Amino acid sequence: MTNTFYNTHNDILDLYTKAITKAHGKNHPEVFQVRAIYEKIQDKMTHLQFDLSNEFTQLRSITHNYAIPGDVCNTFKATYEMLEAFDHISNQ
């Protein structure tokens, strides 16, 4: 299921993780770490390495369990919601 979720959502997560760094990086510098970790996930998935537990542990820590700040756009919200769903699926 991890691979299916990734294949379905990678393009949008790639776009959104880039977009939120530009739109919210000044007020939410953690999004730069989110982007870097997502790039690691992409690399692992490309090489068929499906153990993403370390990356999702880091994401949960950085994002305070995907808490959505009150001053962000819908793209930011959607990014965190997709990452949380990906996290949940990868841990099944």
Side-chain angles (χ1 to χ4, degrees), residues 4-6 9 29 37-38 40 57-58 66 69 71 80 86 89:
T4 302
F5 187 94
Y6 175 77
H9 295 89
I37 293 167
Y38 190 69
K40 289 179 188 176
T57 297
Q58 290 176 35
Y66 307 101
D71 64 340
Y80 276 29
F86 193 4
I89 287 169

Side-chain angles (χ1 to χ4, degrees), residues 4 6 10-12 15-16 23 32-34 40 44 52 56-57 59 67 69-70 75 80 82-85 87 91-92:
T4 302
Y6 175 77
N10 178 52
D11 288 344
I12 196 80
L15 177 68
Y16 281 11
F32 293 104
Q33 291 175 284
V34 169
K40 289 179 188 176
K44 285 180 108 172
L52 305 174
F56 283 116
T57 297
L59 282 172
T75 299
Y80 276 29
M82 278 187 279
L83 288 170
E84 184 175 27
D87 186 353
N91 285 315
Q92 291 182 346

Side-chain angles (χ1 to χ4, degrees), residues 19 21 41 52 55 76:
T21 62
I41 289 171
L52 305 174
E55 288 75 18
F76 191 114

Side-chain angles (χ1 to χ4, degrees), residues 19-78:
I20 65 172
T21 62
K22 294 175 184 166
H24 298 284
K26 181 179 177 185
N27 293 329
H28 299 283
E30 70 278 4
V31 296
F32 293 104
Q33 291 175 284
V34 169
R35 174 64 186 160
I37 293 167
Y38 190 69
E39 289 175 329
K40 289 179 188 176
I41 289 171
Q42 288 178 306
D43 184 60
K44 285 180 108 172
M45 294 299 293
T46 300
H47 293 96
L48 304 177
Q49 298 171 354
F50 301 119
D51 180 6
L52 305 174
S53 57
N54 185 46
E55 288 75 18
F56 283 116
T57 297
Q58 290 176 35
L59 282 172
R60 284 190 301 275
S61 176
I62 291 164
T63 65
H64 305 285
N65 291 314
Y66 307 101
I68 299 166
D71 64 340
V72 297
C73 67
N74 286 334
T75 299
F76 191 114
K77 181 180 178 193

